[in-house]
Amino acid sequence: MEQRDKWATKLGLILAMAGNAIGLGNFWRFPYQLASNGGGAFMIPYLFALFFLGIPVMWIEWTIGRYGGKYGHGTLGPMFYLMSRESLKPKSALWFGVLGGLLGFSVSSLLSSYYYQIIGWSAAYTWYSLTGAYFGQDTYKFFVGYISNTSAVLFFWALTMVLLGIAVGQGVSKGIERWVKVMMPALYVFAIILVVRALTLGSPVKPEWSAIGGLSYIWTPNFSALSKNFFKIALAAAGQIFFTLSLGMGIIHNYASYLGPEDDVALSGLATVSLNEFAEVILGGSLAIPIAFAYLGPEKAIKSGVGLAYMSLPNVFMHMPAGRIFGAFWFLLLWFAGFTSAIATYNYLVAMLEEDVHIDRKKGTWMVFVWLFILGLPIALDKTLLVLTDMDMWVGSYFLVLLGFFDIVVGLWLFKPDNFWEELHKGAFINVPGWFKPIMLYIAPIYMLILLAGNTWNYAKGGVFTLSQAYMQDLVKNQALVSTTIGYAKHAVTVARGMIFIVIIIGAIEAYLAIKKKYGEELEKNEVIIKL
Ligand code: TRP
């Protein structure tokens, strides 16, 4: 077997994993989830999901990834195939491999297609903050103007993609690891500077709007909102846990595949969770909303989606002393956070080409560049952002949770719980308490099934599948960035769903062929031959 790249240092590995998990989800998505889902009361289902879903699945993904790496694989297709063989004949295991492969490929491709756009916006807004371009303007109109300015959007997106390509093209230890060792400490510094600024803002507009007031506003538990919308809020909390920890994406597996077979996963997995949660709950929770609150007050501060980061905050920076600098810090923070996450999905796709088709890394990097460019183009050109919205809905609520569910089916049930437990503890720096086993085996997967059923129920009720008249009207009226028609919205949704369909098919075929090629002999005989 050829020599695989490996993480050079423990610190580099942990920073890479933290960089993977800490993303736009922490600084942008979390605050408005918290604010719009009952404030402090959101933290109850959130912490519950962290414990029963986040931590178990994090350990499982590290374990599956390191196992796959032993056999030279960094993608889910072959990983799921190899593990399923413990209980199934190769010919049946192949189907779990195909399933894993298509999920991993789809998530990496589709998530990147829109998430890279948002990172590109952050690059643009870093520049616009430094130059004061939006100062004195209506920030909503400015944002619409930016999104409609196709050449600017393409420029900042392509710039981000080229830098991603350079980092990934240099390899895991020589590229990704070196980049995160600079970017992650910088990210923490930016975040801490901004938190200090946020908490010392006082009350520039109205005394009762101080940043501290903003903190107490989002953190005061609204139990009546929680109990009224319990199911909806619990779904949002679990979804946030998946997204922020990068679970159900294939990219934790991928990073863990560059470990040695005896390198610790138990403590390292927990460290990843802790670093992410610190960045999310402490730093992310003390930034965007308190700053916006101090200047704009409760009504205008609590905006969801792109509104908070790209419209409310710019509106604050333009009135703040040294606002250009703080604005640049904020958007650079988003850019760094997004970038170090985006590297992971990029690397997943490059690893796939490297390992399955033996294309060398440099060439693979540019092939992935072209692939992600093609996928991102319809989103970059869509001024309404409806393609992005629809795509995010499917990827966020289905793909991640499905992938996480099959992590357990394959990594625990088919691989067999005792094998898994042994694998998890190989070289481990800590012992995972035995009572975690039933949580992983039963509670987490049931949790995920409820999530899937809940999302399906909500979507069915909301007319998302059938594109009901009411749903389309809502898209046009409330979800579209600019005014548009139902005809256009239908078109946008069709493009998003068509892309998802095509990507799934390609992912399935790729995984099928890759596993056949590598394990053809044992599939032929239907007996396991290759074993470590
Ligand atoms: N955990 C990331 C976040 O909080 C999500 C993420 C990681 C991601 N890697 C990604 C999203 C790659 C898109 C592409 O933002």
Side-chain angles (χ1 to χ4, degrees):
M1 214 182 286
E2 49 196 282
Q3 193 58 37
R4 278 187 104 231
D5 206 346
K6 272 206 178 101
W7 299 108
T9 62
K10 191 103 205 145
L11 178 71
L13 157 74
I14 296 293
L15 288 178
M17 280 287 195
N20 182 337
I22 300 173
L24 300 175
N26 298 55
F27 298 105
W28 168 50
R29 200 172 184 276
F30 175 73
Y32 76 75
Q33 292 284 340
L34 181 67
S36 53
N37 286 305
F42 178 73
M43 291 312 285
I44 297 167
Y46 179 89
L47 292 174
F48 197 79
L50 177 65
F51 193 77
F52 289 103
L53 214 48
I55 295 175
V57 178
M58 182 62 81
W59 273 327
I60 293 167
E61 296 198 343
W62 274 75
T63 307
I64 297 177
R66 189 187 58 182
Y67 184 82
K70 273 201 282 205
Y71 291 84
H73 295 299
T75 60
L76 286 183
M79 285 178 186
F80 275 21
Y81 168 73
L82 290 172
M83 294 189 111
S84 314
R85 286 184 328 182
E86 287 296 320
S87 336
L88 301 174
K89 287 274 186 194
K91 277 188 178 149
S92 320
L94 174 64
W95 295 110
F96 282 94
V98 170
L99 184 67
L102 81 85
L103 285 170
F105 177 75
S106 310
V107 173
S108 276
S109 300
L110 296 172
L111 205 53
S112 305
S113 73
Y114 64 88
Y115 193 89
Y116 289 14
Q117 307 289 333
I118 309 178
I119 308 174
W121 305 347
S122 312
Y125 265 74
T126 305
W127 175 248
Y128 294 146
S129 299
L130 281 174
T131 57
Y134 54 74
F135 283 44
Q137 300 200 29
D138 177 332
T139 51
Y140 174 79
K141 287 205 186 112
F142 187 87
F143 186 75
V144 171
Y146 171 69
I147 294 294
S148 314
N149 182 348
T150 307
S151 44
V153 168
L154 290 181
F155 173 77
F156 286 105
W157 173 48
L159 177 73
T160 301
M161 293 247 294
V162 167
L163 292 171
L164 282 170
I166 293 173
V168 173
Q170 292 167 337
V172 173
S173 52
K174 296 206 177 64
I176 300 177
E177 191 167 341
R178 287 226 202 112
W179 284 62
V180 296
K181 272 191 177 163
V182 177
M183 290 179 103
M184 289 311 289
L187 180 148
Y188 277 103
V189 171
F190 292 154
I192 289 169
I193 293 175
L194 283 164
V195 169
V196 171
R197 176 76 279 224
L199 299 184
T200 51
L201 266 179
S203 45
V205 185
K206 275 191 199 171
E208 66 273 23
W209 285 4
S210 75
I212 301 287
L215 271 186
S216 80
Y217 178 82
I218 48 172
W219 287 101
T220 303
N222 182 347
F223 288 108
S224 71
L226 179 66
S227 60
K228 232 190 295 157
N229 286 312
F230 181 77
F231 197 55
K232 185 186 143 263
I233 294 179
L235 288 185
Q240 176 63 18
I241 285 294
F242 258 90
F243 193 89
T244 188
L245 291 173
S246 295
L247 300 174
M249 301 182 181
I251 56 184
I252 298 286
H253 315 71
N254 176 258
Y255 273 16
S257 77
Y258 301 102
L259 289 168
E262 300 284 327
D263 286 343
D264 161 82
V265 297
L267 183 61
S268 308
L270 207 55
T272 310
V273 172
S274 314
L275 286 169
N276 183 73
E277 290 314 304
F278 174 73
E280 174 142 309
V281 178
I282 308 294
L283 301 177
S286 318
L287 270 176
I289 296 213
I291 294 181
F293 191 93
Y295 279 86
L296 308 170
E299 262 122 69
K300 289 209 204 122
I302 313 304
K303 276 226 185 103
S304 67
V306 296
L308 178 63
Y310 296 88
M311 297 170 202
S312 304
L313 286 183
N315 200 18
V316 171
F317 296 133
M318 71 169 83
H319 297 296
M320 187 191 258
R324 291 185 185 200
I325 301 294
F326 285 109
F329 273 158
W330 164 251
F331 287 109
L332 210 52
L333 169 71
L334 287 187
W335 191 79
F336 274 33
F339 191 91
T340 51
S341 296
I343 286 183
T345 48
Y346 202 128
N347 189 66
Y348 184 96
L349 296 169
V350 173
M352 191 186 92
L353 292 176
E354 248 184 340
E355 290 156 13
D356 294 350
V357 239
H358 302 292
I359 291 178
D360 78 68
R361 181 163 274 265
K362 287 268 174 318
K363 215 156 132 213
T365 301
W366 297 112
M367 286 172 68
V368 171
F369 186 94
V370 172
W371 168 239
L372 293 180
F373 192 83
I374 294 172
L375 279 182
L377 211 49
I379 298 171
L381 298 178
D382 166 36
K383 301 179 173 79
T384 62
L385 299 184
L386 286 177
V387 182
L388 186 155
T389 306
D390 196 68
M391 191 91 84
D392 181 46
M393 245 170 47
W394 296 103
V395 175
S397 21
Y398 281 100
F399 284 71
L400 305 190
V401 188
L402 258 180
L403 204 164
F405 179 74
F406 282 101
D407 273 338
I408 292 187
V409 171
V410 172
L412 267 91
W413 296 353
L414 294 177
F415 188 57
K416 296 193 176 139
D418 292 337
N419 289 341
F420 169 79
W421 204 250
E422 198 189 312
E423 189 68 31
L424 169 66
H425 283 96
K426 252 183 215 155
F429 293 157
I430 54 165
N431 259 323
V432 177
W435 48 263
F436 243 102
K437 216 168 161 180
I439 295 182
M440 291 177 163
L441 271 170
Y442 309 113
I443 297 184
I446 291 172
Y447 208 138
M448 290 190 253
L449 287 179
I450 296 175
L451 262 173
L452 287 170
N455 285 330
T456 307
W457 172 254
N458 283 343
Y459 284 6
K461 230 177 33 185
V464 175
F465 300 111
T466 52
L467 301 184
S468 73
Q469 195 64 19
Y471 179 65
M472 294 314 293
Q473 267 159 4
D474 175 64
L475 275 187
V476 168
K477 244 183 52 213
N478 302 319
Q479 313 266 32
L481 180 69
V482 292
S483 72
T484 183
T485 59
I486 291 209
Y488 181 89
K490 280 218 166 117
H491 191 68
V493 170
T494 312
V495 168
R497 295 182 190 182
M499 281 167 64
I500 295 174
F501 182 74
I502 293 169
V503 169
I504 289 178
I505 303 286
I506 296 178
I509 296 174
E510 193 282 331
Y512 181 84
L513 294 177
I515 300 168
K516 273 260 171 160
K517 186 167 137 203
K518 177 103 199 241
Y519 299 99
E521 202 187 331
E522 64 178 51
L523 280 164
E524 197 78 37
K525 295 207 178 91
N526 209 15
E527 285 302 333
V528 173
I529 304 171
I530 301 165
K531 267 251 163 186
L532 282 187

